[in-house]
Amino acid sequence: MQTITRVNSNLYNNSGGTPTLSRRNFPINGLEFYLPLWHPELSGTPVISKDLNAFSCAVTGTVHTPNVGRVYDGDDYVDLSNAISTIEAQTGGTIIVWANITDPTVGFNAMFSFSDTGDASSDFVFQVHTSDFRVRIRENGAGQLDMRSPGTAIGAATWYMYSLVVDGNFNAMYLDKTAQTPDYTTGNA
């Protein structure tokens, strides 16, 4: 485990029109997994997460474009298997994904997902599906949680910040800092 107390130049500053690196440091104590795939330091493969765990994650298919980040065409991915046991062990936390989906009305646009390699019917998916922001958890094929933000207009080729907050007592979804009122197909708040 590497010792890090702060991440340097971790966010882009877009105040002048063209994104440029800015020096906005934030403490990462308690941060389990932070993978800013747009950051130039994470342009190769494997990428190393910018948290105290320093997870190594292999990149397949996608390439880094300066001032843009990574573009995924449907079969590109970042392998998070080195971080999964740490992520799964959490009883609460926040997942935030900043994404621009070309066509949110087509297919299952998974932004973050993982599954049990011993059981393909157990998975966690954080996605946009036919214009709904959705989170689904299945265990042995049985739905444990399926929540979505119905009626949320997710525009094509538009940047959004998708967030899920879980603390063991409730689940909350946010789209661009706006709390969503989710429908629960399975499970509850």
Side-chain angles (χ1 to χ4, degrees), residues 52-76:
L52 296 175
N53 296 305
F55 294 111
S56 176
C57 304
V59 177
T60 300
T62 182
V63 296
H64 187 272
T65 304
N67 292 331
V68 173
R70 293 185 180 269
V71 176
Y72 299 83
D73 67 6
D75 61 354
D76 302 336

Side-chain angles (χ1 to χ4, degrees), residues 31-107:
L31 185 63
E32 294 295 335
F33 185 66
Y34 178 56
L35 196 62
L37 292 173
W38 49 264
H39 197 286
E41 289 179 11
L42 301 181
S43 62
T45 186
V47 293
I48 308 299
S49 65
K50 297 290 192 177
D51 50 58
L52 296 175
N53 296 305
F55 294 111
S56 176
C57 304
V59 177
T60 300
T62 182
V63 296
H64 187 272
T65 304
N67 292 331
V68 173
R70 293 185 180 269
V71 176
Y72 299 83
D73 67 6
D75 61 354
D76 302 336
Y77 64 94
V78 177
D79 183 351
L80 306 175
S81 59
N82 290 332
I84 294 306
S85 62
T86 298
I87 294 169
E88 287 180 324
Q90 304 304 309
T91 57
T94 302
I95 296 172
I96 299 172
V97 174
W98 179 249
N100 179 332
I101 297 174
T102 305
D103 188 352
T105 64
V106 176

Side-chain angles (χ1 to χ4, degrees), residues 6-167:
R6 296 189 181 270
V7 176
N8 295 324
S9 302
N10 57 347
L11 297 174
Y12 275 115
N13 179 359
N14 197 14
S15 61
T18 302
T20 58
L21 287 175
S22 66
R23 193 171 175 87
R24 297 182 188 170
N25 299 327
F26 62 91
I28 60 172
N29 295 338
L31 185 63
E32 294 295 335
F33 185 66
Y34 178 56
L35 196 62
L37 292 173
W38 49 264
H39 197 286
E41 289 179 11
L42 301 181
S43 62
T45 186
V47 293
I48 308 299
S49 65
K50 297 290 192 177
D51 50 58
L52 296 175
N53 296 305
F55 294 111
S56 176
C57 304
V59 177
T60 300
T62 182
V63 296
H64 187 272
T65 304
N67 292 331
V68 173
R70 293 185 180 269
V71 176
Y72 299 83
D73 67 6
D75 61 354
D76 302 336
Y77 64 94
V78 177
D79 183 351
L80 306 175
S81 59
N82 290 332
I84 294 306
S85 62
T86 298
I87 294 169
E88 287 180 324
Q90 304 304 309
T91 57
T94 302
I95 296 172
I96 299 172
V97 174
W98 179 249
N100 179 332
I101 297 174
T102 305
D103 188 352
T105 64
V106 176
F108 295 87
N109 296 291
M111 295 177 280
F112 178 86
S113 67
F114 59 86
S115 63
D116 182 343
T117 56
D119 175 15
S121 64
S122 296
D123 60 8
F124 172 90
V125 180
F126 190 83
Q127 70 186 128
V128 170
H129 177 244
T130 60
S131 293
D132 287 334
F133 170 31
R134 187 175 195 170
V135 175
R136 185 188 75 216
I137 300 172
R138 294 184 310 159
E139 183 66 37
N140 297 319
Q144 303 297 313
L145 177 68
D146 193 346
M147 59 191 284
R148 65 185 185 94
S149 60
T152 303
I154 297 174
T158 304
W159 286 100
Y160 291 99
M161 182 177 65
Y162 301 88
S163 307
L164 172 68
V165 179
V166 178
D167 81 349

